[in-house]
Amino acid sequence: MDDGGYAGVGLRVSDSEREPVLELLKEAYAEGRLEHDEFEMRMHLAMTARTRADLAAVASDLGRPGLQALPGKAVEQAPDGEERLWAALAHGSGMAPLIVPALVIMLLGGQRSAYVRRQAAEAVNFQLTLLLVTIVTFGLGGVLYAVTWIVAAIAAVFALGGQDFRYPWILRLIR
C-alpha cells in the first residue's frame, strides 16, 4: 500500500540510518564541497536528527540523497513553486468552512506531488475535525470557525515556504 511518502519522512531515525548520511558528509568534506564549519554543523545536525526528514535536510544539496541507503524509502525533493502554491491553497481554503477545495486539491494535485498530497490531507483532516466538533457540540463548536482562519493562514505561509505543517489536536482520518 502506497502512503504517498507520508509515513516515511516523519519516522524517527536510528543510528544505523544516520551512518550513510555521516559517511556522505565526510566524503563531501574530503572532496572540498563543505567548509570545516559547515561540516561540523551538519555532522551535529545529523547526529541529533530525530526524523528522516531532519536527516534528509542535512544532505539534500550534496548531489546524492543521504537516505537512499534506507530500505524502501527515497528522499523527497524540496517542493517547487507550483507545489508550494497548491499546498498553500489547500490550507488557505480552511479560512472558509469548506472542505471541498482541500479535498479536490488532495485528490488531483496529490497524484503529482507527495508534498501537495500530504499538506492537502492535513488541511482536510483539519476541516473534518472542525466539522465533527461542530456536530458533536450541536453547533457550539461553530465558534471555532471564527478563529480557524488564523491557523489556516499560518499553515498556508508554512506551505508557501516549502515546510510541512501539522495542525495540533486534530483527528488524522486521512493519511
Side-chain angles (χ1 to χ4, degrees):
M1 178 172 89
D2 182 28
D3 61 7
Y6 189 76
V9 176
L11 290 177
R12 287 189 166 274
V13 293
S14 66
D15 289 338
S16 64
E17 292 170 321
R18 284 187 181 90
E19 287 303 319
V21 175
L22 296 174
E23 289 302 316
L24 178 64
L25 292 173
K26 289 175 188 174
E27 288 175 22
Y29 179 63
E31 294 169 357
R33 292 188 287 152
L34 294 176
E35 294 180 12
H36 183 70
D37 292 339
E38 185 178 10
F39 170 71
E40 285 183 353
M41 179 188 69
R42 288 185 186 215
M43 289 293 282
H44 173 73
L45 291 172
M47 292 301 295
T48 59
R50 291 183 181 195
T51 65
R52 289 181 174 177
D54 295 341
L55 197 55
V58 172
S60 64
D61 63 338
L62 295 178
R64 293 178 296 170
L67 295 181
Q68 288 235 333
L70 295 176
K73 298 293 177 188
V75 175
E76 181 179 325
Q77 295 294 327
D80 63 21
E82 182 180 352
E83 291 171 321
R84 293 192 318 254
L85 179 63
W86 281 111
L89 288 173
H91 285 296
S93 69
M95 292 181 179
L98 299 173
I99 197 170
V100 175
L103 187 59
V104 168
I105 291 171
M106 183 185 78
L107 295 174
L108 298 179
Q111 293 176 347
R112 292 177 290 172
S113 167
Y115 176 74
V116 172
R117 169 124 179 45
R118 207 171 41 251
Q119 294 304 295
E122 190 72 6
V124 168
N125 285 326
F126 178 59
Q127 290 294 326
L128 280 173
T129 301
L130 289 173
L131 180 63
L132 289 173
V133 167
T134 301
I135 291 170
V136 168
T137 61
F138 301 107
L140 294 176
V143 175
L144 287 176
Y145 279 107
V147 294
T148 59
W149 66 271
I150 296 170
V151 179
I154 292 170
V157 169
F158 269 78
L160 279 175
Q163 299 174 338
D164 283 326
F165 185 84
R166 304 255 314 166
Y167 293 94
W169 309 301
I170 68 167
L171 301 172
R172 289 188 170 76
L173 303 172
I174 297 175
R175 297 263 175 204

